[in-house]
Amino acid sequence: MAGMKTATGDYIDSSWELRVFIGEEDPEAESLTLRVTGESHIGGVLLKIVEEIKRKQDWSDHAIWWEQKRQWLLQTHWTLDKYGILADARLFFGPQHRPVILRLPNRRALRLRASFSQPLFQAMVAICRLLSIRHPEEMSLLRAPEKEKKKKKEKEPEEEVYDLTKVVLVGGVAPASFRGMPAHFSDSAQTEACYHMLSRPQPPPDPLLLQRLPRPSSLLDKTQLHSRWLDSSRCLMQQGIKAGDTLWLRFKYYSFFDLDPKTDPVRLTQLYEQARWDLLLEEIDCTEEEMMVFAALQYHINKLSQSGEVDEPAGTDSGLDDLDLALSNLEVKLEGSAPTDMLVRSGSSQGLGPRKLTLKGYRQHWVVFKETTLSYYKSQDEAPGEPIQQLNLKGCEVVPDVNVSGQKFCIKLLVPSPEGMSEIYLRCQDEQQYARWMAGCRLASKGRTMADSSYSSEVQAILAFLSLQRTGGGGGGSGNHPQGPDASAEGLNPYGLVAPRFQRKFKAKQLTPRILEAHQNVAQLSLSEAQLRFIQAWQSLPDFGISYVVVRFKGSRKDEILGIANNRLIRIDLSVGDVVKTWRFSNMRQWNVNWDIRQVAIEFDEHINVAFSCVSASCRIVHEYIGGYIFLSTRERARGEELDEDLFLQLTGGHEAF
Amino acid sequence: MGESNEDIDQMFSNLLGEMDLLTQSLGVDILPPPDPKPPRAEFNYSVGFKDLNESLNALEDQDLDALMADLVADISEAEQRTIQAQKESPQKQPPSASLCVPSFSDTASLGYGANVAAPSQYDDDLPPPPADPMLDLPLPPPPPGPISQEEEEAQAKADKIKLALEKLKEAKVKKLVVKILMNDNSSKSLMVDERQLARDVLDNLFEKTHCDCNVDWCLYEIYPELQIERFFEDHENVVEILSDWTRDTENKLLFLEKEEKYAVFKNPQNFYLDNKGKKENKETNEKMNAKNKESLLEESFCGTSVIVPELEGALYLKEDGKKSWKRRYFLLRASGIYYVPKGKTKTSRDLACFIQFENVNIYYGIQCKMKYKAPTDYCFVLKHPQIQKESQYIKYLCCDDARALSQWVTGIRIAKYGKTLYDNYQRAMARAGLASRWTNLGTVNAAPPAPPSTGVKTGTTQANGQLPQATQSMNTALGEDWRQLETTKDKKPGPGLGSHDPGAPRAQPLPKSSLPPPPPPVRRSSDVGGGSPGTPPKAKGAAARFPAPPDDFLPPPPPPPPPLQDDELPPPPPDFNDAPPDFVPPPPPSFAEDLPPPPPPPPALAPESVRTPPVVVKRPPPPPKRQENPGPPGGGGGEQDFMSDLMKALQKKRGNVS
């Protein structure tokens, strides 16, 4: 049709030349010129381009990107006129899916193809499907932070980038599972490794690295991150992302729906990783006691994931039928009492514990441990008689007091009694004895006896700990600076498990016993239970799930911080960090954004109006956060996995304004 | 009458046999339970009797009645469950007319024996052939059933069971008789078995007191010596708590209403949205509507982790061993209570841990102003449950006002118990709802089946007040093992015995088909089936309620009547008025349908007239029992004594022997 000309070569129809570059936005790209008219449909133009190129290739993913307008020409039935394209338009004929490198919550890099033409929300759905993460609406992408100019080219160790660009997902159906992983991962060893990376927790980071990584030192620093979120309602291309760019993949909304260890191994793991890094990098603060629990859980999780016990549900002997189970339980209940002798130094009752590492205060007794009761006698001969004291350890607190290099193996017992607590210290001769008694005490404190089936494994675990303390944990002297990664692969390097401020505060050998002590409470958890526990503890922190933005409230002269959580907005004093005011979403009537003056106005019940302009992040980020949380709160279990994308975009988008 | 006597005898003997069986499994040697710990309760409030007579004499009339009723209830329940072929039994002297002796498979009754006294514990072995020596009744063995594969299987199982029971020798079920003070200054004695939770005991008390069953009712412990008190959480194990009391304690257990118990669920906004007393907030709080409350609760308790209310403020802390109080700034976190050390800020990293909740319970301090010179009377106390005397390990804190006190106490409970609290509340609500519905409907109508409530052990079958409390104990979910054992016990013994003993036909299932139910049943079933209006209300109700319990299932609901009468003399349900006051068990007709062959409750049912002479009524119960344990030879002695003593005592009091 277009391109009729006279004998002299003049075109006699209204056709004109349209130049199209082939490939991605690249000024050097080859181009070809087509003759078109304003009436030409985009579809026709595409066809022509492909013909002209004369290359055999699957062009189905290609589409035209209009550079000046920053827009994809995806409506193939539209005409050029309708799009308003004239001869001066710079058009690029390129693939809609392009590779990007995602920095996952576990800090590993993964290359995959993401849609550059769909709104990010849809692109995320596809990405999460590929990674087999449910509930993509909770996640989003951030721009990678600007690299600080490298001082004297530090050799950055070549990092392994996992590659999923070749994996193609068939649309529609949920990926079937095959050999314990979604089928599309099982194609090659490579992708399988990739799945393992996704679904298994990573080992603790090198403490040195941990110290080097930037950590927020104030609330203000914590706002930085949130200025980098990409816009969910626009596509990557429109947001200036190029093929091969690095983006961060993170859980953006702290409202985790229906977290299920069974169906969500990747999601659970990545969430755990994000929580872990949050804590290690001090994005969120916790107390010392809490940190020890987090460290113990990390240690435990790492141990399980290294040993490959991926998801053995702990402690379900499903094989046994009722009776057998009953019998085995019985067995456990009945037999246990093992009189053993040991050296006891008892500084009983008033908490006058013996000084460390000295034998002072300890006196030797003959101690009998039967069921859950500890009795001690002057000597073995008197054992059948009245004991000097008898303590039922049920409900007691058992604290290890061990220094392996010093060959000190003490057990401190805090035994409750009607009169108060009795403190008693048992000093064991060697590791073996210590392990057995320690295990007995721990079981007894839970009301179980040494006949319990877990006794021997408990003993083993304690012995293993002792050997750990010998290797890791700065058994030597230099406890003051973190040991490098060399602290033996299996050894416990406590510095990789705690935030750097604890590295400064404690020596490794102080840290190790505390972590191990906390570990005893979680030692029975399976991998996914432990991860879940970690996540729950993280969620229980008072500052959990708050995203910070610097704003200026209407009528105020100074910048303040706005905290956005899944159920409320918090006004926070910038300098002190105190909460000034909290508004809950449940009381919110409506919110509006004035895009011109970059102001967000919110109306709450009872005519409370709040307005602020955004300083540290664009107001569309704030807007999307609020809308996103509202959207997430509309999810219901009953509705399954389907997402109401329109609603999301409606709540978070600002299309009209653009 | 004669007939009824016979029946009674039979029942009685069955009961004894059953008890034997049970106790045997419990292990004979339990006599005085060797308890290193302070013995459990004493007389005034809770009793562990040394000997039957003592215990009987010690009880007040009404208590005795109550106990008896308890026992009967248990029995009849069990009986119902086991309804099967019926046999004739020789008769013995009918103890008291009202007594119907059912099988004892219920733990509750068991426990009684165990903890209480030697007499109750019988040991014998399963293997021994039937024939209850002690009783003069020659139990006529039921017609032997043909041996089938089933039987062989049964035998195999029986062997296993034997083994299990042997292992059980030493296991024991503790049972306490507890005296509970009512708010009208009266008291009730109650048997509590070691598997019962506070919830079960409350349900039990509901039955006995005919109170309104609202959620505020609680068990309340008071330590007069320490001047502290608290309510039990519904999931707490009562016997365990009471075991911590010392022998000579003055502690008391009360049954009363406390609004604080579930205040947080009624008005969550007072705890979650309270912004340190800003007036504006207060107003909104008052106004919060039901829907918002619900969503607030949902948000706080139904997420991946429970949200602990944000709580911080200055409290007074009593200094160890002194009567001086120091004001400090405390914060509540999920992991414990923290305080701000001098000169530090209240950011997480500066906080010092004051206490964690794992090993402490929270109590209200009473009149601390007087006793310890506290600044106010709004005190709460944290202590290890085992501590019963003044001790430095008890922590006293003092709030400025009642509101703060209630917030702290509730906050700590939420931190300590988490979602369990909410589950408890929902169960309590379900229970209360049932109760009110019941009253609305009037006693006569069967309440609709209880809606399944969240908790596993929820109100189970007791749709109405009338259901015997015995059920509860069954449902209590305590140790799993125990449960299993129990069930096995319940169902398996039957077959086992059967195999050994020619007298006993096969297991329960068989009788259904093979044994033609005695004539009477037929009638009955027809009655029920027809749903003849004439059917006694009770029966109907029962039928409606328990649709189709598989027979091997725990306990088919006990026949309604006995429970009611338990405590006070005979507070028989309205319909029964004309019947003799005591325990006239209305025939358990309802079960006929689903349960296997209904025991032939001969005359009783037929007339439809439940209220007819007691005689009739009594009959039905006996038959079932039998089958389970054709009299175990070993043990009856103690039992018999026990029962007869009990009866004698009862008779003496009543003077109403037929």
Side-chain angles (χ1 to χ4, degrees), chain A residues 420-432:
Chain A
M421 301 287 214
S422 307
E423 278 179 36
I424 177 170
Y425 293 76
L426 304 176
R427 185 182 170 102
C428 306
Q429 287 152 348
D430 55 31
E431 288 184 25
Q432 290 295 332

Side-chain angles (χ1 to χ4, degrees), chain B residues 440-638:
Chain B
N440 293 341
L441 291 180
T443 22
V444 180
N445 293 331
S453 55
T454 34
V456 184
K457 13 168 163 168
T458 334
T460 40
T461 21
Q462 38 237 70
N464 316 339
Q466 20 181 170
L467 284 197
Q469 53 280 42
T471 353
Q472 280 115 273
S473 57
M474 293 303 286
N475 320 335
T476 327
L478 273 194
E480 263 307 297
D481 325 1
W482 265 114
R483 243 245 194 102
Q484 272 158 342
L485 281 180
E486 235 166 70
T487 30
T488 29
K489 251 191 253 158
D490 286 344
K491 34 181 127 149
K492 303 196 174 155
L497 290 179
S499 55
H500 284 279
D501 158 19
R506 8 207 58 241
Q508 300 146 332
L510 269 190
K512 248 191 211 165
S513 47
S514 56
L515 302 182
V522 176
R523 220 195 264 143
R524 180 199 269 165
S525 57
S526 67
D527 271 0
V528 178
S532 66
T535 325
K538 291 250 151 149
K540 218 181 181 181
R545 249 167 273 142
F546 318 110
D551 22 356
D552 45 351
F553 243 66
L554 292 192
L564 282 191
Q565 305 149 343
D566 17 2
D567 23 47
E568 312 120 28
L569 298 192
D575 339 29
F576 295 107
N577 283 340
D578 17 6
D582 322 351
F583 324 100
V584 177
S590 34
F591 306 95
E593 293 177 323
D594 337 339
L595 295 190
L605 283 192
E608 319 259 296
S609 57
V610 173
R611 359 180 131 173
T612 37
V615 179
V616 177
V617 178
K618 285 163 201 166
R619 276 242 195 103
K625 206 29 85 334
R626 227 296 173 40
Q627 197 140 10
E628 276 198 340
N629 33 338

Side-chain angles (χ1 to χ4, degrees), chain B residues 236-275:
Chain B
E236 288 185 280
N237 179 305
V238 175
V239 169
E240 212 166 83
I241 301 173
L242 297 181
S243 310
D244 289 334
W245 292 7
T246 52
R247 181 176 270 280
D248 54 347
T249 186
E250 293 169 9
N251 296 359
K252 293 191 193 79
L253 194 57
L254 278 63
F255 176 60
L256 42 62
E257 289 173 276
K258 280 282 171 188
E259 230 178 32
E260 297 92 320
K261 189 178 182 191
Y262 289 126
V264 64
F265 301 111
K266 293 177 189 161
N267 287 299
Q269 71 280 8
N270 292 341
F271 299 89
Y272 281 94
L273 303 184
D274 187 74
N275 260 355

